[in-house]
Amino acid sequence: MWTNFPLFPERASTIAGGVDALYFFLVAVALFFSTLIFAAIFYFAIKYRRRPGVAARPIEGSLALELVWSLIPLGIVMVMFTWGAGLYFRNSAPPPDAIDIYVVGKQWMWKLQHPEGAREINELHVPVGRPVRLIMTSQDVIHSFYIPAFRIKNDVLPGRYSTVWFEATRAGEYHLFCAEYCGNQHSGMRGRVVAMEPARYEEWLAGGPAGESLAVAGERLFRRLGCTNCHLPGAGSRGPVLVGLYGKPVPLEDGKIVRAEEAYIRESILNPRAKVVAGYPAIMPTFQGQISEEGMVEIIAYIKSLRRGSE
Ligand code: CUA
């Protein structure tokens, strides 16, 4: 197939080829049947035009015809469904070794935070050939994070995390858009994605303003908010110890089990009664309104960094 079909954005991610192939298939099917229908309309209009002494004979039921126009479309839509679902599942499951980058959308800019501490506005630097997972949330209304060249687009919602992943295949600069109408500066909520060779990316990370890493900033916030009083080893087990928590299954009071991922950690900070860990009293106060979205990202990065043996 064409590496760059005219009229289409560049293909610069591992996902792009598969998305385009499915898209071309859908367009081809639609074109084929539109052509067939229009040709049939003209053909029959001429063949059965009104002439003296000639009358069309209507067909009064035909099992063979019914089967043909039921089974062929069924077959075609099943192909679309299995192909599309397969692609969807592949594209929605990030590889486990993906780099996590946090995205906060707000009217009207994108704020991006790398775990090492680099912060960007309306610009995203990523390495080529490495999967990147974006953990995204909004500070106000619904936005949508859209990189056409990577064929990814995902809504960014206030009050929860959504994730999307990609792996850039070619170094270069690509458009970044907001794809959900979010107010009168929506069209200005755009930026660029810079995909770089891994060595250059490392240089870029190191060359930025020497900011502290997200985890370090998160630890400071963690202490300031008093989380250490209950959640670190030796705190008298008033609350569950968070060391080694991230990614692990957590048994809850009601017998359910949740995996300790971003969404769960966030919910437990803002709404601690929603999921109470088995064996602990529901005494944690809410921190609603006390932590900004960026602060939340830092605390989560800190909790992620608390691995066993790193105490
Ligand atoms: Cu943000 Cu449109």
Side-chain angles (χ1 to χ4, degrees), residues 88 103-106 110 134-147 151-165 176-182 186 189:
Y88 175 80
V103 179
V104 176
K106 61 171 279 196
W110 296 109
L134 302 176
I135 301 160
M136 311 186 293
T137 190
S138 165
Q139 213 167 294
D140 37 45
V141 300
I142 301 178
H143 304 276
S144 186
F145 194 91
Y146 181 30
I147 308 174
R151 305 295 190 274
I152 59 156
K153 178 162 71 178
N154 209 97
D155 279 8
V156 177
L157 307 159
R160 56 181 279 191
Y161 288 120
S162 45
T163 59
V164 70
W165 79 275
L176 160 64
F177 295 114
C178 176
E180 179 72 45
Y181 182 71
C182 56
H186 156 71
M189 191 169 164

Side-chain angles (χ1 to χ4, degrees), residues 104-111 121-122 143 188-190:
V104 176
K106 61 171 279 196
Q107 288 170 323
W108 286 277
M109 63 168 83
W110 296 109
K111 295 196 271 188
I121 287 183
N122 293 340
H143 304 276
M189 191 169 164
R190 58 206 167 83

Side-chain angles (χ1 to χ4, degrees), residues 5 45 55 63 82 100 115 117 121 176 216 235 237 243 249 274 277 280 298 302:
F5 187 68
L63 182 64
T82 46
D100 285 346
I121 287 183
L176 160 64
V216 170
S237 56
V243 175
V277 178
Y280 291 93
E298 291 166 353
Y302 170 60

Side-chain angles (χ1 to χ4, degrees), residues 103-278:
V103 179
V104 176
K106 61 171 279 196
Q107 288 170 323
W108 286 277
M109 63 168 83
W110 296 109
K111 295 196 271 188
L112 300 115
Q113 295 168 279
H114 296 250
E116 295 82 0
R119 287 156 199 270
E120 311 186 67
I121 287 183
N122 293 340
E123 274 200 343
L124 171 60
H125 288 74
V126 292
V128 166
R130 283 203 57 187
V132 172
R133 180 169 74 130
L134 302 176
I135 301 160
M136 311 186 293
T137 190
S138 165
Q139 213 167 294
D140 37 45
V141 300
I142 301 178
H143 304 276
S144 186
F145 194 91
Y146 181 30
I147 308 174
F150 294 171
R151 305 295 190 274
I152 59 156
K153 178 162 71 178
N154 209 97
D155 279 8
V156 177
L157 307 159
R160 56 181 279 191
Y161 288 120
S162 45
T163 59
V164 70
W165 79 275
F166 61 81
E167 181 179 324
T169 50
R170 269 199 278 168
E173 283 190 22
Y174 308 102
H175 289 295
L176 160 64
F177 295 114
C178 176
E180 179 72 45
Y181 182 71
C182 56
N184 61 12
Q185 295 295 311
H186 156 71
S187 61
M189 191 169 164
R190 58 206 167 83
R192 61 188 189 128
V193 177
V194 183
M196 314 164 99
E197 294 304 333
R200 289 218 40 223
Y201 175 72
E202 295 302 330
E203 274 174 40
W204 176 84
L205 270 185
E212 57 190 356
S213 74
L214 286 184
V216 170
E219 180 174 13
R220 190 158 20 84
L221 198 50
F222 193 81
R223 293 189 186 284
R224 185 159 64 76
L225 293 168
C227 314
T228 39
N229 296 341
C230 302
H231 287 298
L232 285 184
S237 56
R238 269 189 292 172
V241 168
L242 304 185
V243 175
L245 170 78
Y246 183 76
K248 298 282 173 345
V250 178
L252 300 181
E253 200 184 38
D254 59 6
K256 293 200 184 104
I257 290 184
V258 289
R259 190 166 287 280
E261 279 166 350
E262 289 83 5
Y264 163 73
I265 297 173
R266 176 200 167 84
E267 183 188 40
S268 295
I269 294 171
L270 297 179
N271 185 12
R273 307 271 156 106
K275 296 194 174 75
V276 177
V277 178

Side-chain angles (χ1 to χ4, degrees), residues 1 11 13-22 151:
M1 280 260 267
R11 277 188 212 142
S13 78
T14 50
I15 284 168
V19 171
D20 283 3
L22 176 61
R151 305 295 190 274

